Amino acid sequence: MITINNIFGQHCARFRIVLMVLLVGIVSACGDGNNEASNQPILIKFPHVTAPGTPKGLTADHFKAVVEERLAGRVTVEVYPSGQLMNDDDSIDALAFGEVQMIAVSLSKLDRLTKRYQVFDLPFLFPDLDAAERFQAGPARDTLLTAMVESGLRGLAFWHNGMKQFGGPLAMTSPEAADGLKFRIMESDVLQEQILQMGGNPQKMAFGEVYQALQTGAVDAQENTWANIYSSKFFEVQEYLTESNHGYLGYLVAVNETFWQGLPADIRAELEQIVAEVSAWGNAQAKDVNDGALANIVASGRSEIAQLSDAQYQVWAEKMRPVWDKFAADIGADMIEAAQAAGRP
Ligand code: SIN
């Protein structure tokens, strides 16, 4: 598939955004492209990068099943898991151009379109998934969901994956352990700063390349959820995994704005309802899916699992505070305060 990424490479982000906004305008002017008028079912192509057994994989498949039952003959959903259609970066462009209709991309990877989601990447901000969920349901919800409408992406919901853990050649019970390590990170400036603050060397890299990069030593270390570490087999190429719960990995479920507004009103309303139900279903089981993945990793005996004591957790959290300071002005003190409050139920 030809996307703006392929044509111009990874480093022209600003140019790509401008071009994307222009092309979204042209696509909008050319109509919505949905098939209802021709009596064909409306097609929702939904690519994502994780395995079917992860929180996102399970929820995407459940969405397809519910849509095709409740809107039988009117809407069809094609889910493409495991990056088999495209990587996340390309899927953001493909959604804006209407090549696909729905995505669920990590909030971290939307950094190039909006700074609003940077709050989700602040280390040691959300203590658990419940805190992130309270924040997502709070007063900031609508602002966050509609932050990229001008770029052609409308957010419908937030889905959890889980809390992130560190993996590498040694136990990361203190920040010093990370000194000098090459860390794979998602495409986020906050995560980049987090690794620099740890004394590591951050490497932004697509999810589908991580296993091989760890295996060949192109990177030494990574951070991800138990569900991703297990399903993508990172545990097979990481000597130590540290249960650090230091950050949140969640997704924005987004649709192409032109496609969405062009849907018949009854179908749009039903899809909205289904997304809400399916999101609640998926988010309610995300923690269990991650706990199950951790149990499977432990049972495999392939990597050593280290835990952080409360005191070690506090040392980590304090060491990472300058990352908050660096991004506080962009994110907004009120947003950070609301996120912190969500962690103090
Ligand atoms: C995902 O969970 O969708 C991928 C996260 C990553 O790139 O690490």
Side-chain angles (χ1 to χ4, degrees):
M1 169 169 304
I2 297 172
T3 69
I4 294 300
N5 257 353
N6 303 140
I7 299 168
F8 298 104
Q10 297 279 344
H11 303 293
C12 305
R14 192 177 300 259
F15 179 64
R16 282 192 319 174
I17 292 166
V18 171
L19 197 58
M20 210 158 101
V21 172
L22 287 174
L23 287 174
V24 167
I26 294 168
V27 170
S28 308
C30 292
D32 61 53
N34 83 53
N35 287 334
E36 179 86 340
S38 59
N39 283 334
Q40 296 293 311
I42 292 162
L43 176 61
I44 298 180
K45 278 194 187 176
F46 185 173
H48 69 87
V49 298
T50 61
T54 56
K56 179 164 59 179
L58 292 166
T59 315
D61 289 347
H62 187 55
F63 172 73
K64 171 182 169 66
V66 177
V67 168
E68 292 184 353
E69 186 192 322
R70 301 226 308 243
L71 290 167
R74 298 190 75 194
V75 180
T76 307
V77 181
E78 289 176 2
V79 178
Y80 298 91
S82 306
Q84 60 186 229
L85 195 59
M86 60 187 78
N87 69 28
D88 274 331
D89 223 19
D90 288 344
S91 80
I92 295 168
D93 293 340
L95 186 76
F97 300 139
E99 293 167 7
V100 302
Q101 289 69 39
M102 192 169 202
I103 59 173
V105 165
S106 161
L107 294 159
S108 314
K109 296 179 186 177
L110 296 165
D111 199 30
R112 68 177 161 95
L113 290 186
T114 175
K115 300 295 166 208
R116 291 210 183 265
Y117 300 140
Q118 289 186 333
V119 65
F120 291 108
D121 278 342
L122 293 180
F124 297 91
L125 173 57
F126 297 109
D128 52 32
L129 298 185
D130 289 345
E133 190 160 321
R134 279 189 292 273
F135 174 68
Q136 289 165 347
R141 182 177 178 83
D142 285 345
T143 312
L144 291 170
L145 288 178
T146 56
M148 297 176 301
V149 168
E150 281 188 4
S151 304
L153 281 69
R154 173 173 291 272
L156 296 182
F158 297 103
W159 288 357
H160 302 319
N161 182 323
M163 299 304 291
K164 288 184 293 182
Q165 323 296 339
F166 286 125
L170 69 180
M172 293 194 212
T173 46
S174 73
E176 289 69 39
D179 198 39
L181 295 181
K182 277 181 281 174
F183 265 87
R184 179 271 170 172
I185 53 164
M186 292 183 275
E187 296 82 346
S188 148
D189 289 348
V190 180
L191 298 181
Q192 179 170 275
E193 190 60 30
Q194 171 195 285
I195 301 300
L196 290 173
Q197 189 60 29
M198 290 159 56
N201 175 0
Q203 314 269 325
K204 294 180 181 174
M205 186 182 287
F207 185 62
E209 295 167 22
V210 180
Y211 180 88
Q212 202 184 1
L214 290 166
Q215 192 183 36
T216 59
V219 295
D220 311 300
Q222 55 83 39
E223 53 161 22
N224 225 304
T225 65
W226 293 125
N228 283 354
I229 291 169
Y230 177 65
S231 61
S232 292
K233 302 192 186 328
F234 299 163
F235 69 101
E236 292 181 357
V237 285
Q238 295 275 267
E239 265 178 86
Y240 286 88
L241 295 167
T242 305
E243 191 163 18
S244 46
N245 291 312
H246 63 277
Y248 170 71
L249 199 168
Y251 308 107
L252 182 78
V253 181
V255 284
N256 172 280
E257 171 69 353
T258 307
F259 163 79
W260 188 246
Q261 299 305 340
L263 288 172
D266 61 328
I267 291 191
R268 189 168 56 240
E270 184 65 358
L271 284 174
E272 215 160 31
Q273 179 60 29
I274 291 171
V275 167
E277 290 170 23
V278 162
S279 303
W281 178 92
N283 286 344
Q285 58 178 322
K287 182 172 183 314
D288 288 346
V289 175
N290 276 283
D291 289 349
L294 171 57
N296 288 338
I297 294 168
V298 171
S300 78
R302 292 290 288 266
S303 16
E304 194 84 30
I305 313 284
Q307 255 98 27
L308 296 187
S309 67
D310 288 350
Q312 287 167 332
Y313 185 92
Q314 284 315 320
V315 169
W316 260 109
E318 271 162 43
K319 175 83 179 170
M320 292 301 110
R321 264 313 175 103
V323 182
W324 293 30
D325 300 339
K326 175 148 188 174
F327 292 92
D330 281 347
I331 295 171
D334 50 341
M335 192 72 99
I336 295 179
E337 171 47 34
Q340 277 185 293
R344 299 188 292 260

